[in-house]
Amino acid sequence: MRVLSIAAIQTKPVPYDVEATWERFAAQAETAKILGPEVDVIVAPELLLAAPGQFLIPDPDGETRSAGPIPSQLTARISELARRLGVWLVPGSLLETDGGNTYNTAIAVSPDGEIVARYRKLFPWRPFETTTPGDSFVTFDIPDRGRVGLAICFDGSFPEISRQLAWLGAEVIIQPTLTTTRDREMEIVMSRANAFANQVYVVNVNGADPSAVGESVIVDPEGTIMQQARGGEEILFAVLDLDRVTQVRRYGTLGINRPWAQLQDQQGILSYPMFGGAHFQPPAWSPEDADESRGSQFSATSS
């Protein structure tokens, strides 16, 4: 059985104070590990460590306050925390500077303190967010467990992203979020839809009130909400059975719908005008060879 234990920390920053925010998050991560000794992965909200202010209060330094290259002193701290706790750490997202641009970037750090994945948000929330869009889809492997894809907040409104991550072998999509507005309800709808359409788990962790509106969710491969937070600070603990992804794809959602297998079966029949008439290329997946395919894929993917 391939089990992945997740702790999604719905929390808030100390506004405008990067150092105090770091100390607060590190203490919360330690608490999560104490409460859940078997936790494999700890996840935090988008841009938490940038210490943003409240949404309706102007914050002209919001996209520069903590910005820096990756790796940096901040990522060294993150790596040390991951080593100390013995967990995989996705600490929300960071403001990354590179080549004169600033990106909204999520990283995944292994229990050895290694940055194994770096994902730049493909769809910044315009016009509020002015960071430069990324240009790559990113997944990473947790040995003997499965493959995880990264997305950030507004990316969830674009089904192409979750579909491509699943195509790259992701069985779980981790999606740090910082939603301050009432369209959070629609984001939850999209989390369920993306999970169902691709038969993957979705871990969408939002910021807590008052920096965001909370309502983080963990959704299973059939699109059912396993857990949902309220508005304040809390930790969602969930145990994800990754073999269930294989099961649902083999037998269908609720034992009926098999969209993943049907996409494979009907490859080449339909062209997609929005993609220039292209035919999709399905992954090397089927119920019979899922284990073999998963074992042969590369351990860190950016394509």
Side-chain angles (χ1 to χ4, degrees):
M1 183 170 63
R2 297 181 300 123
V3 168
L4 195 64
S5 179
I6 296 273
I9 303 177
Q10 178 174 286
T11 187
K12 60 190 176 185
V14 179
Y16 319 116
D17 191 329
V18 172
E19 184 65 25
T21 296
W22 167 258
E23 294 296 335
R24 197 169 189 276
F25 167 67
Q28 290 171 329
E30 290 175 2
T31 299
K33 186 63 174 177
I34 292 170
L35 291 173
E38 302 302 322
V39 162
D40 300 304
V41 184
I42 294 177
V43 186
E46 177 186 16
L47 293 178
L48 172 71
L49 299 180
Q54 295 184 36
F55 176 53
L56 295 178
I57 299 176
D59 185 10
D61 299 326
E63 291 187 357
T64 59
R65 183 180 301 110
S66 66
I70 295 176
S72 66
Q73 182 179 359
L74 176 58
T75 62
R77 276 182 156 183
I78 294 167
S79 294
E80 192 280 329
L81 180 63
R83 280 193 297 269
R84 179 154 50 87
L85 299 182
V87 298
W88 294 81
L89 197 53
V90 181
S93 63
L94 313 176
L95 291 169
E96 177 195 9
T97 55
D98 183 28
N101 295 316
T102 300
Y103 301 92
N104 185 344
T105 302
I107 62 172
V109 179
S110 75
D112 295 326
E114 179 187 359
I115 299 174
V116 299
R118 178 173 62 177
Y119 167 71
R120 294 169 172 172
K121 187 176 184 179
L122 292 176
F123 288 97
W125 185 44
R126 304 295 195 222
F128 182 77
E129 189 176 1
T130 62
T131 52
T132 301
D135 62 3
S136 300
F137 301 93
V138 175
T139 68
F140 65 96
D141 280 353
I142 296 181
D144 301 320
R145 307 295 178 86
R147 179 163 292 182
V148 178
L150 294 175
I152 301 174
C153 200
F154 197 42
D155 288 336
S157 294
F158 297 84
E160 297 85 354
I161 292 180
S162 56
R163 174 55 48 83
Q164 185 61 50
L165 291 174
W167 239 236
L168 290 171
E171 296 167 289
V172 181
I173 296 174
I174 292 177
Q175 184 184 355
T177 297
L178 183 62
T179 295
T180 57
T181 50
R182 287 319 316 163
D183 60 340
R184 178 61 184 163
E185 180 181 357
M186 295 302 100
E187 291 182 340
I188 294 171
V189 169
M190 288 304 300
S191 291
R192 297 187 66 184
N194 289 331
F196 163 78
N198 298 289
Q199 297 176 308
V200 297
Y201 289 95
V202 173
V203 179
N204 183 321
V205 55
N206 194 21
D209 178 74
S211 67
V213 298
E215 301 179 23
S216 299
V217 291
I218 299 176
V219 186
D220 76 4
E222 295 184 283
T224 301
I225 294 176
M226 299 172 62
Q227 294 194 42
Q228 181 169 357
R230 296 185 180 182
E233 290 190 294
E234 61 179 290
I235 303 175
L236 297 182
F237 290 97
V239 179
L240 311 185
D241 178 2
L242 300 190
D243 285 331
R244 188 157 173 245
V245 174
T246 304
Q247 179 189 51
V248 171
R249 290 176 178 176
R250 181 193 300 265
Y251 295 104
T253 301
L254 302 179
I256 301 170
N257 298 305
R258 302 174 62 239
W260 189 263
Q262 193 159 343
L263 280 167
Q264 183 186 46
D265 293 343
Q266 295 182 206
Q267 62 174 300
I269 295 176
L270 180 65
S271 63
Y272 293 81
M274 69 176 293
F275 299 122
H279 295 273
F280 68 80
Q281 298 296 318
W285 182 92
S286 71
E288 291 73 25
D289 63 11
D291 292 336
E292 179 181 351
S293 174
R294 183 169 50 250
S296 67
Q297 292 173 324
F298 38 95
S299 60
T301 309
S302 177
S303 62

